[in-house]
Each structure stands twice: as structure tokens, then as C-alpha cells.
Amino acid sequence: VERLDRVTRERFLRDIYPRRKPVVLTGLELGTCTTKWTTDYLSQAEGSKEVKIHVSAVPQMDFLSKNFVYRTLPFDVFVRRAAEVKHKEYFLTEDEKYYLRSVGEDVRKDIADIRKQFPTLAEDVHIPEYFEKEQFFSSVFRISSAGLQLWTHYDVMDNFLIQVTGKKRVVLYSPRDAPYLYLSGTKSEVLDVDNPDLEKYPLFVKAKRYQCVLEAGDVLFIPALWFHNVISEEFGVALNVFWKHLPAESYDKTDTYGNKDPMAASRAIQILDRALKTLEELPEEYRDFYARRMVLRIQEKAYRNDYG
């Protein structure tokens, strides 16, 4: 993934954004958070308000098999525990991993917004405003234990992953490679992207891997629909900012996470499911013939032919 230093808003919008490819932006002005956010400062800044966290006995978190539990801890206790490697107090094992993804007050209705959920910390952050104010969707505060790996998934909105402290490795795949990623909804079944089980996932070798390491102060632009798998190489704090790239009415109003497919895409998939159900009325030979014709029609009408 390309790294670019001190990119202005104008240059980003003119040269980088239209390409729809991930890029690491360095040297941006992010506020005092990059120097201030030590474990001591974090735990004292927001005190003992309770946070809901993911706790996992293994480093690779799997959202499909749900190999983690949700627990609640006071924020200051959570920060200290997430920063340790071995725990004196723990829920599952003494080397369990922690992950906080901030959510709104009512998860079903409210988006994550650092200004509302962590107002004191929000004052330390200067978010690069490379999009219009009315496009803003959410700002998600994240804290991860060292060694934690999050499942490969895509989001339907563009976002900046702002690495405030610590170090992350991010592996990305183009939307074009969706056929090789063994999808279940927005998530890939291939958890270990470094040592994939190729007997189970033989097509995965065809997916082109993009990779970058984010140091404290780096900002990764992840365009909508790009798959990403994030490994926290150190305990670290990050902030994701999502914004609406499509007209506002394209998005599902009930989506508070920014990962529900656009309304038109959901409708199209429902219609396709009905079409496939209808094909079941035919004998196998006919079903195969018309299914192949439908695939050709989709390719002809909807595929792009200008991918680099």
C-alpha cells in the first residue's frame, strides 16, 4: 500500500480519492492525542464508566463462530488490563485478549461518536476532514490488546483508520477478489490470512494481498467494499471515521455500524434469491442451462470491464 506524506485535502480529493484504492497518509495533524494518550492518561481521563468489550482466549477473533465473550468493565480497569500481556485478574485465561469497539448509547439506534461516548478524549483529537460535514457517519473509538487479530470483512462506507498509539498490520483485498474470499455476509471465513487452510479454501490463493504497517500517527484510507484484516502488533488505540460516499438515502436507516449493504443491493439480492427459487421448478438440466444464462446476463449488464 502506497504511503504519502502531508497530503492536503485538495490533493486527496483530486488525486487519491477517485482512484478508490487504499493509501496510508502520514504526517497529518491529529491533535495532542498522539502524545497524550498513555495508559495512565486514558484510564484517568474517562474514569470508571462501564464499557462493553470483547474478550477472547485466542488471538484470532472469529465473528462467524463467535469465539469470544462480551463482558463489561470500568473503562480504567479495561485499559490497564488491555495493556498487560499476562493478567492477574481475568475472565477466561491469564493471557486473554481484549477489544473495545465503541458503540452508541442504544446500539440499535445510535451510532458510535467519540464526542458523545468519550467527550474528554474527543477534545484531544483532530480528525482530518477530507469529506463534507453532512457526509459524516460515525467515529469509532477502538482499543486492542497486543496480538489481537480481527476477522476479514468489508464496510459499505469509506473510512479513515487513524492509528493514534501502538502499531497495526493491515492486510487488504480488493472488492474484485470477493469470489476468492469465501464470504458469509460481510465477513470472510478465512481467518488466518498468513497461513490459510488451502484444502478448505483453495481459491484463496487467487486473492491479491495488499499490506501496510500503521505506526502511531498514520492514517489508512480504506475505500468502501475493500476487505481488511487487522492485527494489533502492540497494545494500541485507534479511531475509525466513517463517512457516506453515496447519497444518504442509499443506506439502510437501521444501520448503526456502517456495514449493512446499501438498500438497492439488498433488494437485488432478495430478487435474485426469488429467481433462483423459481428455477427449482425446472429439471436439473434446464436449471443448469438457464442459471448459466443468468450469470452471463449479470456479467454483461453489471460487471465493470475497466478494472486495472
Side-chain angles (χ1 to χ4, degrees), residues 38-88:
T38 60
T39 43
D40 286 345
Y41 174 78
L42 287 168
S43 48
Q44 149 239 311
E46 294 288 349
S48 58
K49 70 179 216 162
E50 302 228 302
V51 285
K52 191 178 179 187
I53 51 171
H54 301 64
V55 183
S56 172
V58 293
Q60 271 169 347
M61 276 197 180
D62 179 358
F63 204 81
L64 294 170
S65 73
K66 299 276 198 287
N67 67 346
F68 51 82
V69 294
Y70 289 105
R71 291 290 181 265
T72 304
L73 278 177
F75 184 73
D76 50 358
V77 176
F78 157 69
V79 169
R80 294 193 181 288
R81 279 213 213 169
E84 307 166 338
V85 177
K86 283 266 186 285
H87 312 293
K88 286 194 177 67

Side-chain angles (χ1 to χ4, degrees), residues 100-149:
L100 166 71
R101 183 232 189 260
S102 66
V103 290
E105 282 66 37
D106 179 337
V107 183
R108 289 184 306 277
K109 293 189 197 133
D110 302 322
I111 51 140
D113 185 341
I114 189 172
R115 292 167 299 192
K116 291 181 184 158
Q117 286 100 40
F118 298 93
T120 314
L121 295 176
E123 287 174 18
D124 302 334
V125 187
H126 177 262
I127 292 172
E129 291 190 353
Y130 288 19
F131 50 89
E132 299 302 325
K133 279 205 170 18
E134 60 274 14
Q135 288 178 283
F136 171 83
F137 175 71
S138 65
S139 51
V140 182
F141 184 61
R142 300 180 191 270
I143 296 184
S144 313
S145 292
L148 181 83
Q149 181 168 13

Side-chain angles (χ1 to χ4, degrees), residues 200-300:
K200 201 172 175 188
Y201 308 117
L203 294 176
F204 186 68
V205 290
K206 293 186 171 188
K208 183 181 174 186
R209 173 188 178 117
Y210 294 78
Q211 182 171 306
C212 62
V213 172
L214 298 182
E215 305 281 353
D218 288 349
V219 177
L220 172 62
F221 167 52
I222 307 176
L225 310 182
W226 272 77
F227 295 88
H228 43 289
N229 179 292
V230 181
I231 301 109
S232 295
E233 299 203 334
E234 300 168 348
F235 163 75
V237 185
L239 184 65
N240 261 122
V241 184
F242 291 88
W243 68 91
K244 295 172 181 175
H245 168 57
L246 307 175
E249 62 277 10
S250 307
Y251 299 100
D252 188 326
K253 296 277 181 290
T254 65
D255 184 8
T256 55
Y257 284 89
N259 60 6
K260 284 191 180 175
D261 291 316
M263 304 289 276
S266 300
R267 285 201 306 276
I269 289 166
Q270 285 166 2
I271 294 165
L272 177 63
D273 286 341
R274 286 204 296 277
L276 293 169
K277 193 105 187 86
T278 311
L279 278 187
E280 286 173 20
E281 295 169 20
L282 293 166
E284 189 181 24
E285 183 187 351
Y286 284 78
R287 199 163 63 225
D288 179 90
F289 174 70
Y290 287 104
R292 287 172 194 274
R293 283 188 59 188
M294 285 163 72
V295 168
L296 287 171
R297 188 114 169 234
I298 290 173
Q299 284 179 333
E300 200 180 292

